[in-house]
Amino acid sequence: MASSISTQLIEDLDIKPLSGKLVPLKTKGELEAETDLIDVHVVAVNPRRATDVVALIKETFPASRDLELAHLRGYTKFTLLPAQLRSRFEALIPDEREEVILSSLNAHVDGNEKRPPATPSPPVVLTSTIPRSTPISAAQAAGWSEHFWPCVYKNTNPYGPHPKILSQSTAIVDADAPRFLALAERAAQACHASNSGPSVGCVVVERRKDGIAEVVSVAGDARYGGVGSANSCAGNVMAHAVMRAMGMVARKRLRVDEDVQGAGEQSAEEQSAYMDLPLNELESKFFALDNIAPRGYLCLNLEIYLTHEPCVMCSMAILHGRFASCVFRRELPLTGALTTSKGKDSNSLGYGLFWHQELNWKFFAWKWLDSDVCGIEDDGSGVHA
Amino acid sequence: MAVKFTEEDEAFMKEALLMGESALENDETPVGCVFIHDGAVLGRGMNETNKSLNGTRHAELVAIEQILRKYSLQILKETVLYVTVEPCIMCASALRQYGVKKVYFGCHNDRFGGTGSVLEIHSDPSIDPPLEVRGGLYREEAIMLLRRFYVQENVKAPDPKQKKTRELKTEILPLDINK
Ligand SMILES: [Zn+2]
Ligand SMILES: [Zn+2]
């Protein structure tokens, strides 16, 4: 079996992989789509007249064309309706079971109770609630079909990563996350033990073309070490684990590129307030390896594994670095910037920075769910990671 | 009616613009800043992302690193920052966590701005006290720096098609009051 340069190092550390699973984070758009329900009109028609009625509705309510509802069946058989809707119709048209129910979804928009004119008998029009957004999974489509209206899943996701690509990435990251998260824990403890900072750590990985993962930097938090005093609770913010790990990647690139083409501008190897040189044996071991592909750009397409959900600064740093993927273990609702939440009453920040419509880079993000939730200590959430 | 900027504000922002100029000379995105303490410049910074191969080496953090070589963390809480471009989301969060007293910026940052353009990291709910921010000081000068950078980059680009877009746009859009 092929292995990476860093594999032996990790084996020597005798790290016990975590047990649990990855849960993809929801994007802000997905969360909003999930609960975006609107009221529309539905009408019962004779199947032979369905085409006429649709044409008539479109003509009578021109504004209806603005409503994008391609994920819902325009009209559907009575038997395919959700039970609640079927019984509402049954109460009004008890004898005409053979009728097809036509969704006059398009007839809504202005909320007008006007009925489509010129049908031979007055049609039965009901108001019903439907999901306005496209379903993003087969399960969601099935659930909506059962509760609202027959619904089609097209294997796309306008509100987040494409389902196919996400599941491929999940499979790749899933194989390595148990070891790398455990390594991140080790990095967190190493810095914490020397009073450098809170027990927060991370691991940066480059995925080679053959799929093998190479650990390029490992860092703990050093906000209380090196400079300043620990009496300020925020400490040296730039020394959060993510910033340190990214700093070490950049230094490694300069070093490797200098070796390769003699062009890199090697900066002096002395610890600065960035704290981006190794602070202990663990960090040094990985930093010393020349195991990053030469002439790379920032942290483009690298993966990062964290003990905690990163703060706003670190999440945006991950974005600036153009990482491909991010896995974290502990959610930090008060300070974390990757998870999403809905509504002002939620006490989490809910920025969902990994997949933000207005930002020019998006990455995959997962929360790690430990199999034994009791095994994970609660270390309070009033801290920035 | 907005309060006018003082002569002192203008003088400090000119210092920040000079830092932006040197960034431009060094082929870095021309953003510059100065941290002021007791009416004097405490630290200066300019973007260094290209030189360092590190996407986080923004002017604000570069200046803070310089300050922390000589001073303790506490001093940052008594500083005022003048930066030519609105701090990005990352820097806005860092400045708020460090407890910087006030930020003056030149032009808005539509792509990454963390103090109003994309997000409002300075004033959103947080465990840290809010960050006081005021924009629009020497805005045109800050934009001109950025435009000159993009022209410079296009000249270097190997694709000849890009050279056609090389002319320098000198007209400046009015400040969007919604931002
Ligand atoms: Zn952080
Ligand atoms: Zn920034």
Side-chain angles (χ1 to χ4, degrees), chain A residues 223 227-229 231-232 234-238 240 243 246-247 250 253-254 257 265 272-274 276 298 311-313 316-317 319-320 322 334-335 349 351 353 356 358-360 382-384, chain B residues 48-58 61-66 68-69 71-74 77 88-91 93-94 97-98 110-112 117-121 124-128:
Chain A
R223 72 187 68 176
V227 293
S229 57
N231 62 3
S232 151
N236 180 16
V237 181
M238 289 190 296
H240 285 190
M243 304 294 273
M246 288 178 69
R253 280 207 193 287
L254 289 174
D257 286 358
E265 193 181 322
S272 68
Y274 295 131
D276 60 351
L298 306 179
C311 73
V312 175
M313 175 189 70
M316 194 60 193
L319 195 141
H320 281 318
R322 303 185 180 195
L334 296 180
T335 58
L349 296 179
Y351 288 121
L353 277 185
H356 196 283
E358 283 179 70
L359 297 172
N360 72 342
V383 78
H384 290 281
Chain B
E48 286 180 0
T49 56
N50 293 335
K51 179 182 134 198
S52 63
L53 304 182
N54 185 334
T56 72
R57 293 288 180 263
H58 287 188
L61 303 189
V62 169
I64 289 174
E65 196 280 321
Q66 197 197 82
L68 293 181
R69 284 182 198 177
Y71 305 95
S72 75
L73 283 167
Q74 212 54 35
K77 295 189 197 299
C88 75
I89 291 164
M90 172 185 75
C91 293
S93 172
Q97 291 186 54
Y98 277 119
D110 291 330
R111 289 168 70 207
F112 299 123
S117 292
V118 179
L119 291 177
E120 302 191 330
I121 300 303
D124 275 353
S126 165
I127 62 169
D128 304 303

